[in-house]
Amino acid sequence: MKQFHEYRNPALAIDLVVFGYHENMLSVLLLNRNEEPFKNGWTLPGAFLQMEERFLEACGRILKTKLGIGRLFLEQLYSFDEPDRDPRGRVISVTYFALVNPGKFEIAAGKMANDASWHDVKKMPELGFDHKDIFRKALERLRSKILYFPVGFELLDDMFTMTELHELYECILDISIDRRNFRRKILDSEYIVDTGLKREGLRNRHPSLYKFNKKLKQNNFHLNVS
Amino acid sequence: MKQFHEYRNPALAIDLVVFGYHENMLSVLLLNRNEEPFKNGWTLPGAFLQMEERFLEACGRILKTKLGIGRLFLEQLYSFDEPDRDPRGRVISVTYFALVNPGKFEIAAGKMANDASWHDVKKMPELGFDHKDIFRKALERLRSKILYFPVGFELLDDMFTMTELHELYECILDISIDRRNFRRKILDSEYIVDTGLKREGLRNRHPSLYKFNKKLKQNNFHLNVS
DNA sequence: CATGTTTGCGTTATTATGACGCAAAGTAAT
DNA sequence: ATTACTTTGCGTCATAATAACGCAAACATG
């Protein structure tokens, strides 16, 4: 019987699918690689897991070099095991997906990050490794998650109009949803609450501003779409 | 910059939560360890991932020594990263959960398996490593999955009565569900179809036998319970 | 001020759900 | 076989949720 740690182990990477939303467009953070393999190709941000590091610490380390620090939603997505997913050798990838409001972050200016940029999910370039599979799974997860868990506000400012939330849902799900039924459903669920404030218009003030209801009982929210 | 594979990597294990259902009892396959750590304690079946192996191959390897071979449902559950989850050193665990019909399998007789047995999920012993967390997550996943995806039949014989399916749901969810509403919901969804056969009784024949509808459009099925 | 758009609040028809009635079929005991 | 009890299959009905859409006040634009 072999002793512990005599086994050769596959390498272990963490890869991230970072979603951002801005101006009615859902986008993903991609890196333009400056080294082989896939030099000059696009990939998801990632890194090898350090010996003492937890998954979320690795996520933080990856994000810090690419984005400023701030609050963000992170959730484990899936672990990928295709033996040939990395041409350099066997690498298992544990993936996370993140939701950020690009307005609250900035793509960091360091030399490690001058290659990072947002890409419309509807116009994705070819991706290196098996990152297309990872991206597809992340988008699928986001689309199903948003139906039964209030994650939409993670992508918006602290205060937002009903129309902005509505458009976010239509954009992510890529369907049209009746504005009035959406409004009723969202308000009935107590997903968000009215702040009492109004957004400033040019001459006067117009739509009500809402914010996420932190006291929401989690499973009060379920959106059906057909 | 370090070269590839010069990094020391955490070890990578695959652990399984195998659910079985028999006689109105949901149970999990556990191993009584015959070596340290946790010698004589209970753990989930698992193994270290081999260098060239895929996750599902490792699952098959683990199961083959414990159970006879047969059709079974396997789905990736989650990856666990607590640095101290294994006292021998850093081990990442990629976990899967499985659904089997214990009637179709037998706990294998080999020396590697004389320590395997089924345990009622309601009377679980202490588990070694972080396997309690893994088990909890698996049960949670099974309970939510069964509401929107027809996995119940994986735990039953090829043909089963409506009452058997109903009792399975009540057992897994640990709630009581109105028999007549359950029946209507399940039949409306086309989750299962009537085989036209009847189960043999002592003097006569009694309840209709149903089987899983393989032509089911996936998202036709959603069970609400309150 | 005239015109078109956005926002907030309704109504209505249809469908889904929860609670439960009831009788035919099946079982067990005499 | 007769009786008493249980299981199964099917149905009803009140209530809740949903989809489709009307409408007017608030707002924006020229």
Side-chain angles (χ1 to χ4, degrees):
Chain A
M1 176 75 79
K2 281 188 187 171
Q3 289 303 301
F4 188 71
H5 270 151
E6 270 186 40
Y7 291 99
R8 268 184 78 219
N9 281 297
L12 224 157
I14 305 290
D15 290 306
L16 300 180
V17 183
V18 184
F19 289 105
Y21 176 79
H22 189 58
E23 309 252 322
N24 231 22
M25 185 174 101
L26 183 67
S27 50
V28 173
L29 189 70
L30 295 181
L31 261 54
N32 198 285
R33 284 179 69 84
N34 52 24
E35 54 184 284
E36 294 295 344
F38 303 105
K39 185 165 181 169
N40 299 318
W42 295 99
T43 61
L44 299 171
F48 287 101
L49 186 71
Q50 308 288 21
M51 195 59 189
E52 319 283 330
E53 197 176 37
R54 298 199 57 160
F55 293 158
L56 285 175
E57 290 167 355
C59 291
R61 184 164 58 81
I62 294 162
L63 285 167
K64 203 160 65 179
T65 60
K66 306 302 170 190
L67 294 172
I69 305 172
R71 203 177 92 82
L72 84 173
F73 175 93
L74 261 177
E75 178 178 297
Q76 192 182 112
L77 179 62
Y78 201 73
S79 297
F80 291 81
D81 71 336
E82 288 77 33
D84 301 320
R85 54 179 300 285
D86 191 317
R88 296 166 295 185
R90 186 80 199 280
V91 183
I92 301 302
S93 170
V94 177
T95 64
Y96 276 71
F97 84 102
L99 303 178
V100 309
N101 177 344
K104 293 186 189 167
F105 291 77
E106 279 177 25
I107 291 181
K111 71 173 169 54
M112 287 297 290
N114 55 6
D115 44 6
S117 58
W118 293 105
H119 289 252
D120 187 345
V121 297
K122 290 177 182 168
K123 295 169 191 162
M124 293 288 283
E126 292 287 310
L127 298 182
F129 306 103
D130 61 346
H131 289 187
K132 188 179 178 179
D133 296 333
I134 299 174
F135 164 71
R136 194 186 305 120
K137 189 135 194 142
L139 187 55
E140 196 177 279
R141 174 78 66 91
L142 174 59
R143 283 180 173 161
S144 62
K145 182 125 194 152
I146 207 175
L147 295 178
Y148 64 88
F149 198 81
V151 287
F153 70 93
E154 303 280 357
L155 294 158
L156 298 173
D157 292 336
D158 293 332
M159 290 194 284
F160 45 85
T161 66
M162 186 61 77
T163 304
E164 285 163 355
L165 188 65
H166 176 232
E167 285 175 343
L168 171 69
Y169 272 74
E170 291 195 324
C171 176
I172 290 177
L173 296 170
D174 201 22
I175 56 173
S176 83
I177 303 170
D178 184 274
R179 178 180 63 83
R180 292 148 295 186
N181 291 337
F182 177 82
R183 174 189 186 75
R184 176 165 42 90
K185 185 83 192 220
I186 292 288
L187 288 177
D188 283 357
S189 76
E190 299 174 56
Y191 175 166
I192 58 177
V193 292
D194 196 325
T195 62
L197 302 173
K198 304 269 181 178
R199 170 151 297 167
E200 305 229 347
L202 287 182
R203 293 197 303 179
N204 213 316
R205 311 164 145 266
H206 198 203
S208 295
L209 288 169
Y210 299 87
K211 63 179 180 186
F212 171 61
N213 177 7
K214 284 179 183 143
K215 297 179 203 77
L216 179 66
K217 321 146 218 28
Q218 178 177 332
N219 44 8
N220 204 23
F221 177 62
H222 193 288
L223 186 68
N224 277 329
V225 289
S226 47
Chain B
M1 176 76 79
K2 282 187 186 171
Q3 288 303 300
F4 188 71
H5 270 150
E6 271 185 39
Y7 291 97
R8 266 184 79 219
N9 281 297
L12 222 158
I14 305 290
D15 291 306
L16 300 181
V17 183
V18 184
F19 288 106
Y21 176 79
H22 188 59
E23 308 252 324
N24 232 21
M25 184 174 101
L26 182 68
S27 50
V28 174
L29 190 69
L30 296 181
L31 261 55
N32 198 284
R33 285 178 68 84
N34 52 24
E35 55 184 284
E36 293 294 344
F38 303 106
K39 185 164 180 170
N40 299 319
W42 295 98
T43 61
L44 299 171
F48 287 101
L49 186 72
Q50 308 288 20
M51 195 61 189
E52 319 283 331
E53 197 176 37
R54 297 199 57 160
F55 294 158
L56 285 175
E57 290 166 355
C59 291
R61 183 164 59 82
I62 295 161
L63 285 168
K64 203 159 67 178
T65 60
K66 306 302 171 191
L67 294 175
I69 305 173
R71 202 177 93 82
L72 84 174
F73 174 93
L74 261 178
E75 177 177 298
Q76 192 182 113
L77 179 63
Y78 200 73
S79 297
F80 290 81
D81 71 336
E82 288 77 31
D84 301 322
R85 55 179 300 286
D86 190 318
R88 296 168 294 185
R90 187 79 200 280
V91 183
I92 300 302
S93 170
V94 176
T95 63
Y96 276 71
F97 83 102
L99 303 179
V100 309
N101 177 343
K104 293 184 190 167
F105 290 78
E106 279 177 27
I107 291 183
K111 71 172 169 54
M112 286 298 289
N114 56 7
D115 45 7
S117 58
W118 293 106
H119 288 252
D120 187 344
V121 297
K122 290 177 182 169
K123 296 169 192 163
M124 293 287 283
E126 293 287 309
L127 299 182
F129 305 104
D130 61 346
H131 289 187
K132 189 179 177 178
D133 296 333
I134 299 175
F135 164 71
R136 193 187 304 121
K137 190 137 194 143
L139 187 56
E140 196 178 279
R141 174 80 64 92
L142 173 60
R143 284 180 172 160
S144 62
K145 182 125 194 152
I146 207 176
L147 296 178
Y148 64 88
F149 198 82
V151 287
F153 70 94
E154 303 280 357
L155 293 159
L156 298 174
D157 293 335
D158 293 332
M159 291 194 284
F160 45 85
T161 66
M162 187 62 77
T163 304
E164 285 164 354
L165 188 65
H166 175 232
E167 285 175 344
L168 172 69
Y169 272 74
E170 290 196 324
C171 176
I172 290 177
L173 296 170
D174 200 22
I175 57 172
S176 82
I177 304 171
D178 184 274
R179 179 179 62 82
R180 293 147 296 185
N181 291 337
F182 177 81
R183 175 188 186 74
R184 181 184 47 189
K185 187 82 191 222
I186 291 289
L187 289 177
D188 282 356
S189 76
E190 299 174 57
Y191 174 165
I192 58 175
V193 291
D194 197 323
T195 61
L197 302 173
K198 303 269 181 178
R199 169 152 298 167
E200 306 229 348
L202 287 182
R203 294 199 302 181
N204 213 318
R205 310 166 145 263
H206 198 202
S208 294
L209 288 170
Y210 299 87
K211 63 179 180 187
F212 172 61
N213 177 6
K214 283 178 183 145
K215 297 179 203 78
L216 179 67
K217 321 149 220 22
Q218 180 177 331
N219 45 7
N220 204 22
F221 176 64
H222 193 288
L223 186 70
N224 277 330
V225 289
S226 48

